Amino acid sequence: MSDVAREAGVSPMSVSNAFKRPEIVQPETRERILTAARRLGYVPNGVAGTLASGRSRMVAALVPSIRNSSFARTVQGLSDQLAEQGYQLLLAVADTAERERQAIESVLGRRPDGIILTGNEHHPDTIRLLRQSGVPLVETWILSGPILDMAVGFDLNEAAQAMGRLLVSRGYRHIGFAGYAPAERSRFLERQRGFQAALREAGLRDDLLFYAEETAGFAGGRLAMAVLRAQEPRLDALFCVTDIFAVGALFECQRQGLVVPRDFAVAGYGDFEIAAEVVPGLTTVRTRGYEIGRAAAHLIVERAEGGIPAPRIDVGFEVIIRGSI
Amino acid sequence: MSDVAREAGVSPMSVSNAFKRPEIVQPETRERILTAARRLGYVPNGVAGTLASGRSRMVAALVPSIRNSSFARTVQGLSDQLAEQGYQLLLAVADTAERERQAIESVLGRRPDGIILTGNEHHPDTIRLLRQSGVPLVETWILSGPILDMAVGFDLNEAAQAMGRLLVSRGYRHIGFAGYAPAERSRFLERQRGFQAALREAGLRDDLLFYAEETAGFAGGRLAMAVLRAQEPRLDALFCVTDIFAVGALFECQRQGLVVPRDFAVAGYGDFEIAAEVVPGLTTVRTRGYEIGRAAAHLIVERAEGGIPAPRIDVGFEVIIRGSI
DNA sequence: CTGAAAGCGCTTACAG
DNA sequence: CTGAAAGCGCTTACAG
């Protein structure tokens, strides 16, 4: 920077201003500075800037997986929104509470202007570290329950209940549930609760439950069908907590010669791209992962610039009806 | 840090050493320091560390998309490898040369220890900036042609040629190609060239070509079938540059009552999870996106620690035969 | 609108 | 093994 200042015949201060607050420096001085900078290939050192100003224009995000379409959408939303506002994204993929703790610790050393988390279940040490740091926080994909600072999500319970009711209204009477293990995690549990509530309302049994690992992929749906049909041979429908399980179930029906939805109905969750393409189309809950990412980034930036945004944002959901039920 | 030093009754230097080079400070002093740090909730300021040392322990990656399984795998590989080595990932999603340039500029201000790019086609300004910065570079998903510094990928031409030959050997005689637009991008073009070479070897026509946007998704396969079958009614096979197009084509066959592979054959590229699940299973080229990410991260870290790694790494590919051809 | 001074919180290289 | 000094490249707050 001092090189640029010398080259342009001004003080370092003016160079700094020419980059950060161009309107404050006289047009011709600014021009001289920018020309000198270009000639020297000068790129301002943001590290020094962060240290001096205490603002990093960097936001960290922790996601459990990048392969999952939902979180991929969220990351895309974060990335788009942050880029638009001149911020950068520090990404950490952490699929366990322990890895999350480690990631948080190293991320905190970078002094981000905010941290975006997934869900509301964290290691106690993580919570302590975050609280201590005072950094603005957004928890995503969850809306109810205790939150640390801010949250962006939708009503998981209601979304699952809506789909449960739809299945009931279509006349299915032995409806299974394919969920994520471990089932006690609140992000997972709320969906199950909503589903069960809908079945109980209708006086149907609500204990046809199967749990597969988040990483199970399409196999989750196949396994759920096998296990639940063994448990209840009259099983006529399956609600899956992810379209991936649901599409796996559809493929399994195809292999077994079951005609969907005549012989068996399948409903999903996520409205991933494949839901609209598979034959028959998948009836599913459309979640708004991209919007969650954008909203979360927006909250952090608002706070970083001194605003006091609403602490909880509900991006909603939608039931998309296609041919699979 | 000085608070911790005071609390522990040592100099700031020793606090620094206790964190960065614990073996250099006496066990009991170290213990005293770490206890004090824990009590005060001290997290070392990595920003100041970076400024002072010139090393950021941060690696930036630019990918065109995070929704594409291939790049999602690469990002996962990067993330895993970097986390293992105590580095962090600065992620930028840039789907055009112009956005790439912007991203590079802002990323460079952060003084990363290395930058990982996708492909080898960049804006001239981008190249100038990168050269000037002297930061270690890895270009991914490409191996041939000019590279800026280091590269990790596989032989795209050969992979496509292998699949082309397989189709020919199975007796298909009117084989179409569903590629990405714009077709002149080298990452895309090499696949087409390999495919065409295989057809010409066999004396077959090699001009049944269709290009869809990278963002076309499953629709790419559907469109390719419609256009190419109109162009050549005897079309009996389709090679797609992504499994997504291929699965889209399979679904289209299903809708039209075409039995695969009896009436029509489909081959893909990527070996995404769905390739093994769809009915019939998709014959495809297995690419190694995860390994590309890991290797790229490894190259940067090696260089950051003073090593001189091999400039090009070939992670290979594999043809996976299932039921679709 | 422009500039000289102090300081952000570390690390480096050197001395003890 | 431990520490006092200088410096990394900016920004802040203030004076001119």
Side-chain angles (χ1 to χ4, degrees):
Chain A
M1 172 150 135
S2 54
D3 294 340
V4 176
R6 201 176 315 112
E7 180 86 3
V10 298
S11 74
M13 261 262 30
S14 295
V15 176
S16 174
N17 281 334
F19 277 97
K20 302 293 164 186
R21 313 168 63 199
E23 72 285 358
I24 216 188
V25 25
Q26 227 160 46
E28 51 186 66
T29 322
R30 194 199 315 153
E31 223 25 78
R32 203 142 35 88
I33 293 171
L34 296 182
T35 307
R38 212 167 303 121
R39 186 161 49 237
L40 298 176
Y42 168 73
V43 176
N45 186 326
V47 178
T50 297
L51 183 59
S53 71
R55 299 231 357 231
S56 62
R57 300 186 76 80
M58 186 157 78
V59 172
L62 275 89
V63 296
S65 150
I66 196 77
R67 308 272 299 269
N68 176 306
S69 278
S70 298
F71 302 131
R73 286 176 179 183
T74 298
V75 170
Q76 183 77 52
L78 285 169
S79 169
D80 287 355
Q81 182 73 28
L82 291 175
E84 272 174 31
Q85 311 218 51
Y87 282 66
Q88 288 174 277
L89 175 65
L90 190 66
L91 182 74
V93 182
D95 52 3
T96 66
E98 173 52 19
R99 288 195 175 189
E100 185 185 63
R101 197 195 55 69
Q102 279 178 5
I104 291 281
E105 202 165 334
S106 84
V107 150
L108 241 22
R110 215 59 78 169
R111 301 297 188 264
D113 287 341
I115 299 184
I116 289 160
L117 304 164
T118 306
N120 65 352
E121 285 162 320
H122 316 288
H123 191 106
D125 288 353
T126 305
I127 295 175
R128 196 179 41 75
L129 271 171
L130 290 172
R131 282 254 160 76
Q132 233 156 187
S133 73
V135 67
L137 259 28
V138 181
E139 287 164 283
T140 57
W141 289 96
I142 190 87
L143 209 54
S144 60
I147 58 170
L148 293 169
D149 184 3
M150 300 178 279
V152 180
F154 57 97
D155 192 324
L156 299 166
N157 191 305
E158 199 183 309
Q161 191 162 356
M163 185 58 86
R165 284 182 179 144
L166 179 63
L167 284 162
V168 168
S169 76
R170 292 287 174 99
Y172 301 104
R173 285 298 168 262
H174 302 92
I175 311 173
F177 175 87
Y180 282 134
E184 66 277 7
R185 298 192 59 176
S186 66
R187 242 168 66 230
F188 303 163
L189 193 57
E190 284 197 48
R191 286 179 253 189
Q192 178 182 323
R193 293 256 170 83
F195 167 76
Q196 289 175 309
L199 298 205
R200 277 197 311 273
E201 264 175 18
L204 302 177
R205 74 183 278 196
D206 68 351
D207 61 346
L208 294 164
L209 309 171
F210 174 83
Y211 307 105
E213 295 297 322
E214 260 188 290
T215 52
F218 296 94
R222 186 167 64 232
L223 293 169
M225 283 193 67
V227 170
L228 296 177
R229 289 175 85 207
Q231 191 176 331
E232 169 54 85
R234 290 169 298 175
L235 193 78
D236 54 7
L238 182 67
F239 172 44
C240 301
V241 292
T242 164
D243 280 357
I244 299 302
F245 289 178
V247 169
L250 286 178
F251 289 157
E252 184 61 14
C253 288
Q254 206 173 322
R255 275 187 215 100
Q256 299 195 6
L258 291 169
V259 176
V260 176
R262 193 196 63 193
D263 305 333
F264 196 81
V266 177
Y269 196 98
D271 195 29
F272 299 161
E273 210 193 336
I274 194 171
E277 297 290 336
V278 76
V279 185
L282 183 64
T283 291
T284 187
V285 177
R286 175 177 295 167
T287 59
R288 308 187 73 209
Y290 183 80
E291 286 73 17
I292 288 178
R294 277 200 105 102
H298 192 74
L299 286 179
I300 295 290
V301 172
E302 232 179 307
R303 273 276 271 280
E305 328 242 288
I308 307 179
R312 298 194 197 226
I313 293 186
D314 186 344
V315 299
F317 66 89
E318 210 177 327
V319 173
I320 304 292
I321 299 183
R322 299 200 180 90
S324 69
I325 74 169
Chain B
M1 172 152 135
S2 53
D3 294 340
V4 177
R6 201 176 315 115
E7 181 86 2
V10 298
S11 74
M13 261 263 27
S14 296
V15 176
S16 174
N17 282 335
F19 277 96
K20 302 292 165 187
R21 312 170 61 200
E23 71 286 359
I24 215 189
V25 26
Q26 228 161 46
E28 50 186 67
T29 321
R30 194 198 315 153
E31 223 25 78
R32 203 143 34 90
I33 293 171
L34 296 182
T35 308
R38 213 168 301 120
R39 187 162 48 237
L40 297 176
Y42 168 73
V43 175
N45 186 327
V47 178
T50 297
L51 183 60
S53 70
R55 297 228 2 228
S56 62
R57 300 185 76 80
M58 185 157 78
V59 173
L62 275 89
V63 296
S65 153
I66 195 77
R67 308 271 299 268
N68 177 304
S69 278
S70 299
F71 303 131
R73 287 176 178 181
T74 299
V75 170
Q76 183 77 52
L78 285 168
S79 169
D80 287 355
Q81 182 73 27
L82 291 174
E84 271 174 31
Q85 312 218 51
Y87 282 66
Q88 289 174 275
L89 174 65
L90 190 66
L91 181 74
V93 182
D95 51 3
T96 66
E98 172 53 18
R99 287 195 177 189
E100 186 185 63
R101 196 194 56 68
Q102 280 178 5
I104 291 280
E105 202 166 333
S106 84
V107 150
L108 241 22
R110 214 58 79 170
R111 301 297 188 265
D113 287 340
I115 299 185
I116 289 160
L117 304 164
T118 306
N120 65 352
E121 285 162 322
H122 316 289
H123 191 107
D125 289 353
T126 305
I127 295 175
R128 194 177 44 74
L129 272 171
L130 289 172
R131 283 254 160 75
Q132 234 156 171
S133 73
V135 66
L137 259 27
V138 181
E139 287 164 283
T140 56
W141 290 95
I142 190 88
L143 209 54
S144 60
I147 57 170
L148 293 169
D149 184 4
M150 299 178 279
V152 180
F154 58 96
D155 192 324
L156 298 166
N157 190 305
E158 199 182 309
Q161 192 162 355
M163 185 57 86
R165 283 181 179 145
L166 179 63
L167 284 162
V168 168
S169 77
R170 294 287 174 101
Y172 300 103
R173 286 299 168 262
H174 302 92
I175 311 173
F177 174 87
Y180 281 134
E184 65 277 8
R185 298 193 59 176
S186 66
R187 240 169 64 230
F188 304 162
L189 192 58
E190 283 196 48
R191 286 178 253 188
Q192 179 183 323
R193 292 255 170 83
F195 167 76
Q196 289 176 309
L199 298 205
R200 275 197 312 272
E201 264 175 20
L204 301 178
R205 73 183 278 195
D206 67 350
D207 61 346
L208 294 165
L209 309 171
F210 174 84
Y211 308 105
E213 295 297 323
E214 259 188 289
T215 51
F218 296 95
R222 186 167 64 232
L223 292 169
M225 284 193 66
V227 170
L228 296 177
R229 290 175 84 205
Q231 192 177 328
E232 169 54 85
R234 293 169 297 176
L235 193 79
D236 54 6
L238 182 68
F239 172 44
C240 301
V241 292
T242 164
D243 280 357
I244 299 302
F245 289 178
V247 170
L250 286 179
F251 290 158
E252 184 60 15
C253 289
Q254 206 173 322
R255 275 187 216 101
Q256 299 194 7
L258 292 169
V259 176
V260 175
R262 192 196 65 193
D263 304 333
F264 196 80
V266 178
Y269 196 98
D271 195 29
F272 299 161
E273 208 194 336
I274 194 172
E277 297 289 337
V278 75
V279 185
L282 183 64
T283 291
T284 187
V285 176
R286 176 178 294 167
T287 59
R288 308 187 72 211
Y290 182 81
E291 285 73 16
I292 289 177
R294 275 201 106 101
H298 192 74
L299 286 179
I300 295 290
V301 172
E302 232 179 307
R303 273 277 270 280
E305 328 242 288
I308 307 180
R312 297 193 197 227
I313 293 186
D314 186 345
V315 298
F317 67 88
E318 209 178 327
V319 173
I320 304 292
I321 299 183
R322 299 200 179 90
S324 69
I325 74 167

